[in-house]
Amino acid sequence: MLWLLVLMSAVGALFWYNDWLYQLPTPLPKAYKPVKTGKLIALDGLLARQADKPVFLHFYNPDCPCSRFNKTHFKTLVRQYGQAVNFVVVVMSRKVYATQEIQEKLDLDLPVLVDPSVATRCGVYSTPQAVILDANHRLYYRGNYNRSRYCTDKNTNYAELALTALLRNDFPKAFDPLALTAYGCSLPYCKTDDGL
């Protein structure tokens, strides 16, 4: 009985530590350059989709637990807004994945980009992150999907709120700092101030 109690305590402590770790903001990379809302994001040749629609870039790392927790929420967004928005998955991993592998992991038939420069152009340094570009490819929103790593807090569905505002032709709304401060897994090739 004592052995079982010790084992359960260790599992609980490990879960608590990992949950706490992913609630901390992702450290800024040393060479990070912020990208302002309204900046033109050049995606020439990367997207062969309709140019008259907004673009939703889903920065995804299959090895990041936060990206895996985010999967159901992202699929809901694609189902709900897929006719009005071009969704694209941007894979951020040192491992090599075929397009079909990523599509199977997400259970979605979406275009897949494997180009780290897209993250730099958009100012992204963690996964999962959402970047929404208007129909002219100007940055409308870059930030988190939700305050909760499991995307369970409907009131803080930041990416969805931004997407809805864009489709209504509203100006980019002001979000609380939790929407715009990156949380999750650092990109695999980022060098942060603490050496991670």
Side-chain angles (χ1 to χ4, degrees):
M1 189 67 138
L2 183 61
W3 176 248
L4 184 61
L5 183 61
V6 168
L7 188 59
M8 287 177 54
S9 297
V11 168
L14 187 60
F15 177 80
W16 175 83
Y17 174 75
N18 281 320
D19 194 51
W20 172 76
L21 185 66
Y22 286 112
Q23 288 182 21
L24 297 174
T26 305
L28 271 174
K30 288 180 183 176
Y32 179 72
K33 292 183 178 139
V35 178
K36 294 187 178 188
T37 302
K39 180 177 174 41
L40 179 66
I41 307 297
L43 296 173
D44 303 330
L46 293 176
L47 298 176
R49 304 285 302 244
Q50 297 162 326
D52 61 338
K53 288 184 180 180
V55 177
F56 189 111
L57 300 172
H58 172 58
F59 288 84
Y60 172 71
N61 181 350
D63 300 318
C64 173
C66 296
S67 284
R68 290 193 298 268
F69 299 143
N70 174 264
K71 177 181 161 181
T72 302
H73 180 64
F74 178 64
K75 286 174 67 172
T76 301
L77 291 176
V78 172
R79 277 195 307 272
Q80 189 170 353
Y81 298 98
Q83 297 300 316
V85 177
N86 291 323
F87 283 88
V88 179
V89 178
V90 184
V91 178
M92 307 307 298
S93 176
R94 288 190 176 154
K95 292 182 184 175
V96 177
Y97 290 96
T99 297
Q100 187 176 355
E101 276 183 282
I102 297 300
Q103 291 170 337
E104 287 172 2
K105 283 181 181 293
L106 292 171
D107 193 26
L108 292 167
D109 185 20
L110 295 175
V112 175
L113 292 178
V114 182
D115 184 348
S117 72
V118 176
T120 304
R121 288 183 231 172
C122 296
V124 170
Y125 58 94
S126 73
T127 58
Q129 284 282 286
V131 168
I132 300 172
L133 309 177
D134 66 16
N136 298 314
H137 288 186
R138 296 197 177 276
L139 181 64
Y140 185 84
Y141 173 80
R142 177 198 57 251
N144 299 312
Y145 282 86
N146 197 288
R147 181 176 69 179
S148 162
R149 89 187 254 206
Y150 303 104
C151 295
T152 54
D153 185 355
K154 279 207 161 287
N155 294 326
T156 62
N157 278 347
Y158 302 124
E160 183 176 7
L161 292 169
L163 192 54
T164 303
L166 175 62
L167 294 173
R168 288 185 190 148
N169 293 317
D170 288 344
F171 290 109
K173 66 179 282 184
F175 286 98
D176 68 55
L178 287 174
L180 307 175
T181 304
Y183 290 84
C185 304
S186 292
L187 297 186
Y189 46 81
C190 285
K191 298 289 184 224
T192 58
D193 290 328
D194 57 7
L196 293 175

